[in-house]
Amino acid sequence: MNSRINPVTLAEKKQSLVDMISNVREEGHHFIDSSGRELESNVLANIASVKVGSSISNVMLGEIVQIASEDPFSVFFEEMSVSRDAANSVQTQSRSTKINGEISVDEFDVDVSAVSVTALSPGNLNVARKSSPIGMLIEKREISPDGNIVVRDPIVVDNLTVRKVIDPAVKYGYTYVYVPRIVYIVECEAVARDSTGQIADQACLLEILIASRGTALSVSCAETVPPPPPYDLRFNRDDLTGNLQICWDFPPNPQRDIKYFQVFRRDNIESPFRLLAMHDFNDAYSRMPLMENVPGKRIVRQQIPINVFDDPEFSNDKKFIYAVVAVDAHGYSSSYSAQFEISFDRFKGRLNRILVSRSGAPKAYPNFFLNLDTFVDAAKDSNSTRMRVFYDPEYYSVRDSDDNIINVVKTDSANPVYKIDILNTDLQQSQTLNVNVSDRYIESSTTAQALRPAIQAQLSSFS
């Protein structure tokens, strides 16, 4: 191949060789995806997913591990360093029992146990034998949070039509490594010999089980998805006590792990929420610690979930904002439910319910989805005769990821781009002022561009 490469320089030869290795596509064939783009076929593209199985002789194991552990920049440096003593011990023992120049059958024979043994007649010898898959063996290892590894009983699947296996024997917070291996039943001929020599050799048909190498899959038993917020909040007033009764429903939760409900209240949108109560109906065998420090006097223990809470501090002359939060068994909280402002109308004799915010506001930002206008569009002023309008942007230009200028502020020296309405409430008169914005920075951008190299050179001299 080297002699047939047309370029003569060493760099060109190397590049041509790399191109040959990378190009594994057959001539005249192209592959495209669903969008019509051509797929690149490169033997080096998925090198990280390549798995190589190898065997090392015991008589050379110590030296190989020693050489591999001498390179501190190797990706296997740490693993080889801790295995050095064990590898040397295996090598020493193997060399002490090894006889040079002698081949032992034990080095090549594989000791297996037969599932069944059937005697064969001379006419049934040298016949093609069959092998077929009969199931799957899933090896299982359990890794605790502190790093201890325990080999668990394997999972046996004896039905080839099964496409899903559920392992119920797992612990939360642990990591499990599964190695699924397809099991084949293989027929082979063998000879049964009597070690005493009293019985003649007998040809036999053996059925043995052979499993594939398999690929290790790691699964971490940790769930980090918070539950959705409760919904369908309802409010009722007890006519006898005057207490406010708050009711809600379970949100759709495929994990089915909601174990707490928290009821919050605040006076207005400028005040933070205060926890009124936390309904605790967690029936887990082993409880996970909560991520929040909840006072014990706010916790209400329940055998079953009761989605009702009575607020005794509510009265006819008070106005509060309420919200409910769901917490799962792992301590993850949902966002706030829909927030409602509740007050009592004395004249109509009923509760007034005003939606303050839709559900989904984070706990740290209860006003994230307020239905109110956060920015005031009108400014009040008295006893003024003149008004000045200033154009003072924080940035002269805003650019996107492609370095294109985004026109976030409208500028037009010929046509008005902003309007200001002035309303005199005493005289019931109004006037609209047109505002033209002329961006002079754009007109002088050429000068700024010319000065930019000099400015950068001046800044670099200070470094």
Side-chain angles (χ1 to χ4, degrees), residues 3 38 121 126 143 151 157 173 176 180-181 190 200 203-204 210 238 254 287 329 354 370 377 407 419 424 443 455:
S3 61
E38 182 179 357
S121 61
N126 299 324
I143 305 176
V151 178
V157 182
Y176 293 88
R181 306 172 65 183
C204 301
I210 298 179
D238 191 333
R287 288 194 172 203
I354 301 176
L370 281 183
D377 297 329
N407 295 324
K419 294 180 180 293
N424 190 322
E443 298 175 0
I455 296 175

Side-chain angles (χ1 to χ4, degrees), residues 386-405:
R386 302 183 62 183
M387 180 181 66
R388 293 183 180 180
V389 179
F390 294 91
Y391 174 68
D392 186 19
E394 295 182 0
Y395 302 95
Y396 286 107
S397 63
V398 178
R399 299 177 181 269
D400 57 13
S401 58
D402 298 329
D403 203 29
N404 298 321
I405 297 179

Side-chain angles (χ1 to χ4, degrees), residues 87-137:
N88 289 330
S89 177
V90 172
Q91 176 178 287
T92 302
Q93 181 180 1
S94 178
R95 289 184 175 183
S96 63
T97 59
K98 174 70 175 178
I99 301 177
N100 295 331
E102 180 178 325
I103 299 177
S104 174
V105 179
D106 296 335
E107 297 179 1
F108 300 95
D109 284 350
V110 179
D111 188 11
V112 295
S113 299
V115 177
S116 65
V117 180
T118 305
L120 291 177
S121 61
N124 291 331
L125 296 177
N126 299 324
V127 179
R129 303 303 176 181
K130 64 179 181 179
S131 64
S132 59
I134 60 173
M136 180 178 293
L137 182 70

Side-chain angles (χ1 to χ4, degrees), residues 117-118 120 125 188-193 202-206:
V117 180
T118 305
L120 291 177
L125 296 177
C188 60
E189 297 179 359
V191 177
R193 292 191 175 98
Q202 173 64 50
C204 301
L205 177 64
L206 305 183

Side-chain angles (χ1 to χ4, degrees), residues 348-384:
K348 297 181 180 180
R350 65 182 184 183
L351 294 175
N352 292 328
R353 191 178 83 162
I354 301 176
L355 178 63
V356 176
S357 171
R358 67 174 178 86
S359 63
K363 269 189 171 181
Y365 302 99
N367 295 340
F368 200 82
F369 297 114
L370 281 183
N371 288 344
L372 305 177
D373 192 353
T374 308
F375 302 97
V376 179
D377 297 329
K380 298 180 180 179
D381 184 63
S382 301
N383 301 323
S384 296

Side-chain angles (χ1 to χ4, degrees), residues 445-462:
S445 60
T446 304
T447 305
Q449 189 71 21
L451 294 177
R452 185 172 299 175
I455 296 175
Q456 292 178 348
Q458 186 68 20
L459 293 176
S460 62
S461 62
F462 290 103

